[in-house]
Amino acid sequence: MRVAGVILAGGKGSRIGGGKPLLPFGEGVLIDAVIGRAAPQVELLALNVPYTEEEVYRARYGARFDLVTDPFEQGAGPLAGIVGGLLWARDVDAAWLATFPCDAPFLPRNLVARLMAARVGEQPCAAEDASGFQGVCAVWPVACAD
């Protein structure tokens, strides 16, 4: 079963003045830490980025990852990035899409395996922790793109 992944980096980051995925973190930037955790868990990885910053991401990551922009008007929230990721995953013949937030540099290294094991049939499955439901850390059947 082919699982693709997308890091959701298309948000405005308005509470911190924008550009959250490219903020300094460790030896690189925040999204680099998420890439390091997410990439080994999926067969293919894409980045969901704002169309207004697509060239910045293309210069930095375009040789390594597909870039996915939201299929809806900017500001539609993370669901727009998830739908964009599902459409991309369908194009690359994946059966499932794992979604990761761009601001979670300490994601479990086995998140996708745990979510795939916990899912019920062909239903999406999202993480939950002590603070509650974490709907962006999820696996989605590509068939739900429609």
Side-chain angles (χ1 to χ4, degrees):
M1 189 173 329
R2 190 169 190 195
V3 180
V6 65
I7 297 174
L8 302 172
K12 295 177 188 176
S14 55
R15 290 183 299 228
I16 59 164
K20 180 173 22 176
L22 300 176
L23 287 175
F25 182 84
E27 306 233 344
V29 296
L30 188 56
I31 196 170
D32 291 338
V34 179
I35 289 169
R37 294 286 181 123
Q41 298 188 53
V42 295
E43 292 184 45
L44 294 168
L45 184 66
L47 308 178
N48 166 244
V49 302
Y51 75 91
T52 56
E53 297 178 39
E54 189 173 3
E55 289 308 312
V56 172
Y57 284 91
R58 186 166 312 289
R60 188 173 186 132
Y61 299 104
R64 293 177 26 211
F65 305 106
D66 287 342
L67 301 181
V68 176
T69 56
D70 293 352
F72 310 120
E73 181 178 320
Q74 288 293 310
L79 187 56
I82 292 168
V83 172
L86 285 165
L87 297 173
W88 165 80
R90 183 173 61 191
D91 288 346
V92 298
D93 294 322
W96 287 83
L97 176 71
T99 55
F100 309 95
C102 71
D103 59 355
F106 303 113
L107 290 167
R109 296 183 192 279
N110 63 350
L111 176 65
V112 173
R114 289 168 56 191
L115 290 171
M116 291 298 286
R119 67 191 163 84
V120 177
E122 298 296 310
Q123 299 297 313
C125 182
E128 187 172 355
D129 65 13
S131 65
F133 180 70
Q134 303 299 324
V136 177
C137 295
V139 292
W140 308 81
V142 172
C144 75
D146 297 332

